[in-house]
Amino acid sequence: GESVGLHLPTLSVQEGDNSIINCAYSNSASDYFIWYKQESGKGPQFIIDIRSNMDKRQGQRVTVLLNKTVKHLSLQIAATQPGDSAVYFCAENPRGGSNYKLTFGKGTLLTVNP
Amino acid sequence: GAGVSQSPSNKVTEKGKDVELRCDPISGHTALYWYRQSLGQGLEFLIYFQGNSAPDKSGLPSDRFSAERTGGSVSTLTIQRTQQEDSAVYLCASSLEVSRWETQYFGPGTRLLVL
């Protein structure tokens, strides 16, 4: 049978559209979150982070939204480009835990169609 | 160096053999981290080093896994008596120091396949 782990959530968008990638985190004590981008054959690359005392943080073409009530994190990419095609991971760090121990989600595969 | 490097980039081995994976962090980075990424999964934290010291080894999956770092630079992750479930991408990252853990720079990984 097939492995559940092979089926990454996927998002396919047209070049120029906005993308929204979602992540549900598990630990209500988490107070720091990071989004990473991983291109094929490469290691993860930091995109943007947010602390739990914020609801929104903006970077260049990217915005992260944090909803602590429902433990939900989203990454918005404006004017998506073919170079944005990658797997996107969210990671959380629990308050009071060992700072270096990030817990990663399974990732979402973003495909941008030219 | 310019970035974190890992070798080999790919490794195919037979079940039961030992393998050694190498990580060369960014020059001057005292903190080094090892992760495992199974197919279609997120990253699983294995172990970190501050200098040559690994204060917490609880993330290592079994006693077949070990890691060392000498000279505060290169680290090796050793898997003894490899099993098929060890097949994964092993990623290494480094940061200036553990207190700067949020800013980790990742290497390209070693893809391990155990037949």
Side-chain angles (χ1 to χ4, degrees):
Chain A
E2 291 181 290
S3 168
V4 172
L6 290 173
H7 297 288
L8 274 179
T10 59
L11 176 65
S12 184
V13 300
Q14 290 298 122
E15 181 178 0
D17 287 351
N18 297 332
S19 302
I20 300 177
I21 300 170
N22 297 303
C23 177
Y25 63 92
S26 56
N27 192 337
S28 58
S30 292
D31 64 348
Y32 180 71
F33 306 87
I34 306 176
W35 278 101
Y36 287 93
K37 171 186 180 183
Q38 186 174 24
E39 296 175 271
S40 180
K42 297 183 179 179
Q45 178 183 5
F46 174 94
I47 302 174
I48 192 168
D49 60 358
I50 189 169
R51 297 201 176 273
S52 58
N53 61 351
M54 303 174 69
D55 297 323
K56 178 179 179 179
R57 189 162 188 226
Q58 288 186 289
Q60 187 176 16
R61 282 203 307 119
V62 295
T63 301
V64 55
L65 298 177
L66 176 62
N67 185 330
K68 295 179 286 293
T69 302
V70 294
K71 294 190 287 187
H72 184 268
L73 196 65
S74 68
L75 176 70
Q76 300 178 1
I77 305 173
T80 317
Q81 304 167 0
D84 295 327
S85 294
V87 176
Y88 290 80
F89 294 95
C90 65
E92 61 182 298
N93 177 252
R95 182 184 305 122
S98 300
N99 284 338
Y100 51 85
K101 277 189 177 177
L102 291 168
T103 301
F104 287 79
K106 291 186 178 182
T108 296
L109 174 62
L110 174 65
T111 302
V112 182
N113 303 308
Chain B
V4 178
S5 61
Q6 293 186 246
S7 61
S9 53
N10 292 282
K11 176 72 176 177
V12 181
T13 190
E14 293 178 346
K15 178 182 173 181
K17 295 286 180 77
D18 297 352
V19 295
E20 197 171 271
L21 313 179
R22 175 188 168 111
C23 173
D24 200 342
I26 292 173
S27 179
H29 281 196
T30 62
L32 185 148
Y33 314 81
W34 282 99
Y35 297 87
R36 178 169 70 174
Q37 184 175 30
S38 301
L39 186 63
Q41 301 291 316
L43 278 68
E44 173 190 4
F45 173 85
L46 298 179
I47 192 170
Y48 88 99
F49 288 89
Q50 175 59 44
N52 294 332
S53 174
D56 181 2
K57 300 180 181 179
S58 63
L60 294 174
S62 76
D63 58 8
R64 296 186 293 105
F65 287 72
S66 62
E68 65 174 17
R69 190 181 186 196
T70 54
S73 181
V74 172
S75 174
T76 54
L77 177 69
T78 301
I79 309 173
Q80 295 178 309
R81 304 180 302 282
T82 52
Q83 303 295 313
Q84 289 181 332
E85 61 262 29
D86 298 334
S87 297
V89 177
Y90 290 83
L91 288 159
C92 174
S94 70
S95 65
L96 201 57
E97 52 191 44
V98 170
S99 63
R100 301 283 296 274
W101 62 271
E102 299 97 330
T103 309
Q104 294 182 30
Y105 297 87
F106 283 84
T110 293
R111 284 150 191 81
L112 175 65
L113 177 61
V114 181
L115 301 177

